Amino acid sequence: MTNERRVLVHQNRQALAGSVAARFLTNMVDVLHEQDIAHVVLTGGSVGIAVLEAINESAARDTIDWSRVNFWWGDERWVPRADRERNELQAREALLDHVDVPQKNIHAFGASDDHIDADADALNAAAARYTAELLAHAPKGEQYPRFDVTFLGVGPDGHVASLFPHRSGIREREASVVTVRDSPKPPVDRLSLTRPVINSSNRVWLVLAGSDKASALGLALAGASRDEVPAAGIKGRYRTVFFVDNDAAAQVPESLIAPAY
């Protein structure tokens, strides 16, 4: 494989979610044929959750041995575990509660109502715990697992995970997890994987829909700086694919668009 970026355009949001779901299931079959376990990073957002729903509804869902798949998150909102805004809760309802994945394989970020040492800063403590969880599942000598697929959404401002423009998180090079305070998008407190962790993934799949994403996508592909458009700084080790609908693709050069299939 070559380290390349591709843009696959779909007619609408429903077709987009179905296509990504089908491709993911096929990819997992291949990955699990070649190795004992897989590591997948999930994202939130309406399109990200629609993909998980489409995976759950697919006739091919049960061709996957889900007991061999580990799930992680690119970021999480610092809210109680039962809050509807929590990415983990939405992913569980969309897919994880419907497949035979062991709870030990679901690596969720901490929540604001977890029991944490009262003398510690809770958000920092949660970041440290997730960092340790990543390390515990990393190959010897490395800091985090070898992710097979990382899903990301892209905001209208070009943010990915909870790495926002002109914020220190997108520039972080050493830490695996950062805390985000005073986020420009509510809720204000969040946790996020950093760019080096995301870019260590074999495949990064950015899934986005809607005309409000067109400018950010166009800038990311045109070579904007990662500080201006964080999505521009994302690139998987082997493959980076932007799965988009027609509206989001409005500013993508024709030369970058690959046929969707």
Side-chain angles (χ1 to χ4, degrees):
M1 275 187 231
T2 58
N3 187 334
E4 61 178 6
R5 285 179 170 180
R6 303 172 67 203
V7 181
L8 300 182
V9 181
H10 302 77
Q11 183 176 4
N12 53 45
R13 183 183 297 246
Q14 183 178 2
L16 169 63
S19 176
V20 176
R23 189 177 291 255
F24 173 76
L25 289 165
T26 299
N27 181 262
M28 279 296 102
V29 169
D30 292 342
V31 167
L32 293 173
H33 179 71
E34 297 174 358
Q35 59 197 52
D36 291 336
I37 61 171
H39 290 277
V40 176
V41 178
L42 300 179
T43 186
S46 60
V47 181
I49 298 303
V51 170
L52 298 185
E53 291 172 342
I55 294 170
N56 184 51
E57 293 165 1
S58 172
R61 184 195 74 178
D62 294 332
T63 62
I64 305 301
D65 182 354
W66 296 102
S67 70
R68 296 165 56 197
V69 184
N70 284 264
F71 290 99
W72 305 80
W73 276 264
D75 72 325
E76 187 56 273
R77 292 92 178 258
W78 189 241
V79 294
R81 242 171 233 287
D83 194 296
R84 302 299 311 171
E85 288 291 301
R86 188 168 167 83
N87 292 335
E88 177 202 359
L89 177 62
Q90 294 176 25
R92 285 182 179 275
E93 291 180 346
L95 174 64
L96 302 182
D97 287 348
H98 304 280
V99 295
D100 292 328
V101 55
Q103 290 304 304
K104 66 181 179 63
N105 288 14
I106 300 176
H107 307 281
F109 278 102
S112 63
D113 57 348
D114 288 348
H115 296 292
I116 299 173
D117 183 349
D119 294 330
D121 179 288
L123 198 59
N124 284 340
R129 286 202 304 275
Y130 210 66
T131 298
E133 183 85 355
L134 291 164
L135 181 61
H137 290 80
K140 186 175 181 180
E142 300 184 25
Q143 294 179 281
Y144 27 81
R146 294 177 180 170
F147 297 116
D148 297 289
V149 177
T150 290
F151 286 103
L152 291 174
V154 179
D157 62 354
H159 83 267
V160 292
S162 284
L163 305 176
F164 293 95
H166 308 296
R167 298 293 183 103
S168 60
I170 190 59
R171 298 188 291 271
E172 177 60 48
R173 295 183 179 181
E174 301 299 328
S176 299
V177 179
V178 291
T179 60
V180 179
R181 303 172 193 268
D182 194 25
S183 161
K185 179 181 179 181
V188 294
D189 292 337
R190 296 161 174 250
L191 294 155
S192 181
L193 298 185
T194 58
R195 192 175 67 93
V197 180
I198 293 169
N199 285 356
S200 75
S201 307
N202 288 342
R203 300 166 187 82
V204 176
W205 292 1
L206 300 101
V207 186
L208 53 156
S211 58
D212 62 329
K213 310 294 179 68
S215 177
L217 177 60
L219 289 169
L221 294 170
S225 75
R226 67 173 185 263
D227 283 354
E228 293 283 342
V229 183
I234 300 304
K235 194 169 188 179
R237 292 177 63 229
Y238 298 150
R239 188 67 59 82
T240 308
V241 184
F242 291 82
F243 296 93
V244 306
D245 69 354
N246 278 328
D247 290 338
Q251 297 184 34
V252 176
E254 286 289 335
S255 61
L256 295 179
I257 298 176
Y261 57 88

